Amino acid sequence: MTPQAKRRAFLVAALLVAGSALAVISAGGIGDNLVYYWTPSQVHENADKAVGATIRLGGVVQEGSVDWRPDSQSLTFTVGDGAHDTEHTLVVHAKSAPPQMFREGIGVVVEGTLTADGSFRADKVMVKHSNEYRAPTDGGDVKDLYATVEEL
Amino acid sequence: MTSRSYTVALAFTLLGVAITAIGHAIGLFVAPAEAMMGDVGRILYVHVPTAWNAMLVFLFGFGAAVASLWTGRRRWDAWTTAAVEVGTVLTLLLLVQGSLWAKPTWGVYWTWDPRLTTSAVLGAAFGVVLLLRRLIDQPARRQVATAVATIVAFVDVPIVYMSVRWWNSLHQTQSTPKTIDKMMAVPLWVSAVGILVLSIGLVIARWRTETARLAAEERAPDLPDAPAPLHLDQESR
Amino acid sequence: MTGMIQGGWGYVVAVYGISWAVLLGYALVALRGSRPAALSALDPGTDPNAGSDA
C-alpha cells in the first residue's frame, strides 16, 4: 500500500468506528445501563431491588408537602413523577438544609436509600433548574416556570 | 508563511475580546437577574457560549482531521492540532464554570450526571489526543495518529449535546430562544459571537506556531533521542 | 425557601474572573508564540530576512 492509500484506509476505519459507536449509543444500547436517577414510579416497580441500596431518586416536589424544621435540621417532602396527577409518590426525609432554590413544584434529585417502610432517606438533596431563564415578575406566578420540569 | 495571517489572528482575537466584553457588560449590568437563580443566573452569558464554541471548534478539528488523512498535507495536521488544543482549553474552562454554577443552584459542585460525565470525558479524550501527539516523534505517523484519535474523540461531541435528552439528568435540557427572555438572549448571543471570534483568532495563532514547528522539524530532522544508542552499539562491535 | 437565590455575586465574580484570566492568558501565549519574530526563531527557513542568528 502506498502511504496515501494507507492514510485513507485509516480515515475510513476511523469514520466507521466513530459512526458505529454513535449509532449504538443513540439507539439506546448504553442508555439502559446509564441511569442517573429513578423516578418514583420506577422505584415502586423495583422496590425489592431498591431497598437498602444507594440510589438517586428524581421527581417534582409536591404542592403543600414541604416540612422544614430549622431547629432540628429536618426536612420532609413528597416527590412525584410530575407536578400533578402523579400515580406514585415517595416521602423523602433529609437531615440538612436544602439549596436556596428548593421549593414546592421544583424538580429535585435526591441521593440516598429507600427504607423498609417505603420512605426515602436522603443524604443529599439537589435542585434541578429548568431550561427556562426568566426575568423576575412582581409577585407573579412562579408556577409558570415549571412547564419543562413537569416533563421529568 | 506570511505575517499576514498573524495580523488576522491578532485582529480576530482583539475583536473577539471586545465583543465578548460588551456582551458580558450587558449580561452583568443591564440584563435582569433570573427569577429563581437571582444574580447567579448571569453565569449563563459565559458558560453557554463557552460550551457552544468548544463544540464548534471541535467540529472544525474533526473536519481538519478528515482533510489531514485524506490529503496528507502538513497544514491540516497543524489545523487539527490547533483546534483540538483550543477546544480542550474551552472544555476545561467549561467544567470549572459549570461546577461553580452548580454549587449555588443545584447544591453540589459535581455529580456524575450524564451531561457532566460526558463533558468530563470530552476534556479527557481530547487531552489524550494532545498527549498522544507529544509521544510520537515520526511526523507522518504522528499526523495519522492525531487525526484518527481526533475523529474517534469527536464521537463524544454529539453525545454531550444529546445527553440531556437521551438520559435522565440533573442538568437542564438545551435552552432555545423560546425558553430565554429576550433581555437575556441579547447578551447571550453577543457573548457567543464574541467568544466565537476570539476562538477563531486563537486557532489561527496556534496553527501558525504549529505549522512553523512542523516545517522546522522537516528541515532539520535531527532527532536527538531514539536512534543514537543503536548506532553506538553497532560501532563498538 | 421561596425567593430567588441571594448573595450569588461571589460565584459570578469567580466564574467571570477565572474565565477572563484563562482566555486572556491563553490568548497572550498563543499570540506571542505566533509572532513573525517568534516563528523565524523557531524555523529560520521561513523568513530569510529575519533569521540572522541561525
Side-chain angles (χ1 to χ4, degrees):
Chain A
M1 257 207 287
T2 65
Q4 176 178 307
K6 208 170 162 184
R7 263 197 340 264
R8 291 183 181 179
F10 269 113
L11 173 59
V12 173
L15 289 174
L16 278 177
V17 169
S20 44
L22 192 60
V24 167
I25 293 167
S26 64
I30 292 184
D32 298 340
N33 300 318
L34 205 152
V35 177
Y36 177 64
Y37 65 72
W38 286 3
T39 61
S41 296
Q42 287 167 330
V43 172
H44 271 281
E45 280 166 32
N46 301 289
D48 45 335
K49 271 191 279 177
V51 173
T54 299
I55 58 170
R56 293 193 198 92
L57 165 73
V60 179
V61 178
Q62 301 296 292
E63 293 282 334
S65 73
V66 176
D67 180 16
W68 165 237
R69 298 178 185 199
D71 43 322
S72 60
Q73 291 285 296
S74 98
L75 173 69
T76 303
F77 56 94
T78 307
V79 165
D81 288 13
H84 314 285
D85 309 321
T86 325
E87 196 180 341
H88 294 293
T89 57
L90 274 171
V91 176
V92 177
H93 300 288
K95 279 280 168 198
S96 59
Q100 283 188 51
M101 283 199 322
F102 181 87
R103 67 191 72 194
E104 292 170 3
I106 201 165
V108 289
V109 175
V110 297
E111 241 174 64
T113 50
L114 187 66
T115 55
D117 67 5
S119 69
F120 197 91
R121 199 173 58 238
D123 304 317
K124 207 186 271 177
V125 176
M126 296 178 285
V127 170
K128 183 170 168 144
H129 187 264
S130 76
N131 65 343
E132 306 217 353
Y133 296 84
R134 301 292 179 214
T137 48
D138 295 323
D141 191 356
V142 279
K143 279 177 205 128
D144 295 346
L145 292 169
Y146 304 112
T148 53
V149 172
E150 293 188 25
E151 285 173 15
L152 269 170
Chain B
M1 195 176 340
T2 64
S3 57
R4 203 176 52 205
S5 62
Y6 177 71
T7 314
V8 175
L10 187 63
F12 268 90
T13 305
L14 293 178
L15 186 64
V17 166
I19 297 172
T20 308
I22 292 168
H24 285 177
I26 299 172
L28 290 173
F29 307 117
V30 181
E34 208 274 334
M36 279 194 285
M37 291 194 280
D39 292 315
V40 177
R42 300 179 192 278
I43 293 172
L44 177 76
Y45 312 118
V46 66
H47 183 65
V48 172
T50 303
W52 285 346
N53 285 298
M55 303 225 172
L56 285 178
V57 169
F58 283 137
L59 180 64
F60 173 73
F62 172 79
V66 170
S68 171
L69 284 176
W70 185 256
T71 65
R73 281 184 188 265
R74 206 170 52 201
R75 75 163 80 111
W76 287 115
D77 189 32
W79 279 123
T80 308
T81 306
V84 168
E85 190 186 292
V86 172
T88 304
V89 169
L90 289 177
T91 305
L92 297 179
L93 194 54
L94 179 75
L95 294 172
V96 174
Q97 295 165 344
S99 178
L100 286 171
W101 200 3
K103 181 60 181 173
T105 51
W106 298 346
V108 291
Y109 284 108
W110 187 266
T111 178
W112 291 101
D113 132 298
R115 173 54 78 79
L116 274 60
T117 305
T118 53
S119 300
V121 168
L122 190 69
F126 281 106
V128 166
V129 175
L130 294 171
L131 187 68
L132 182 72
R133 197 176 161 75
R134 291 191 158 230
L135 296 177
I136 304 175
D137 288 329
Q138 212 271 315
R141 285 185 57 201
R142 184 177 53 211
Q143 176 163 358
V144 170
T146 302
V148 168
T150 300
I151 290 170
V152 172
F154 183 77
V155 170
D156 195 36
V157 170
I159 295 175
V160 168
Y161 184 78
M162 292 306 294
S163 57
V164 288
R165 299 209 171 273
W166 285 345
W167 302 296
N168 287 341
S169 63
L170 182 61
H171 196 286
Q172 62 268 62
T173 52
Q174 301 96 339
S175 295
T176 66
K178 263 198 256 172
T179 67
I180 299 180
D181 261 10
K182 205 176 165 198
M183 292 161 82
M184 299 173 171
V186 170
L188 175 62
W189 279 103
V190 174
S191 305
V193 169
I195 293 181
L196 174 63
V197 174
L198 169 61
S199 301
I200 293 171
L202 293 174
V203 171
I204 295 173
R206 297 299 298 132
W207 168 78
R208 277 175 56 81
T209 311
E210 195 60 28
T211 303
R213 190 182 289 152
L214 291 173
E217 182 185 66
E218 192 179 60
R219 248 179 231 105
D222 50 282
L223 302 171
D225 23 16
L230 267 174
H231 288 303
L232 284 175
D233 270 21
Q234 283 164 347
E235 276 166 17
S236 64
R237 261 175 217 155
Chain C
M1 224 189 271
T2 48
M4 64 171 69
I5 295 178
Q6 301 299 315
W9 275 106
Y11 289 100
V12 176
V13 169
V15 168
Y16 279 83
I18 290 169
S19 300
W20 274 89
V22 168
L23 290 175
L24 285 181
Y26 183 61
L28 207 65
V29 171
L31 285 174
R32 279 183 62 92
S34 73
R35 276 174 310 155
L39 296 198
S40 46
L42 199 66
D43 179 18
T46 48
D47 185 359
N49 300 320
S52 52
D53 291 348

